[in-house]
Amino acid sequence: MADYTVNTPRPRADRAQSWEYRLYFSVIFALALMTGVLTWSWRLATTGRMPRLGPVGRALKDAHVIAPIIFRS
């Protein structure tokens, strides 16, 4: 049986939800969305197949990866 008084589980880490984080996230999302739309339409025109992620999904994924990196450094 685990002794939770000694080794308590750590609470889940939350991203800094400050105004500064939201500003960086929105700027990165906007830039990634523009790039994503261009890339998505180019791939659709050249290969004739739709990419796995749409432009919005890809932009959200990129913004969720890049924004925390800014705050770690």
Side-chain angles (χ1 to χ4, degrees):
M1 185 168 187
D3 185 8
Y4 287 112
T5 59
V6 176
N7 296 326
T8 59
R10 285 196 221 166
R12 188 172 180 199
D14 288 331
R15 289 190 180 100
Q17 292 297 322
S18 64
W19 65 271
E20 187 178 17
Y21 179 84
R22 286 187 227 134
L23 176 69
Y24 280 115
F25 184 84
S26 61
V27 169
I28 292 167
F29 176 73
L31 292 173
L33 185 61
M34 289 187 288
T35 306
V37 167
L38 292 174
T39 304
W40 184 81
S41 60
W42 177 257
R43 284 187 185 173
L44 183 62
T46 57
T47 63
R49 293 184 297 157
M50 295 193 49
R52 187 174 59 86
L53 283 176
V56 176
R58 182 67 184 187
L60 278 173
K61 185 177 178 181
D62 291 344
H64 279 295
V65 169
I66 295 171
I69 291 172
I70 293 172
F71 285 91
R72 273 189 245 151
S73 57

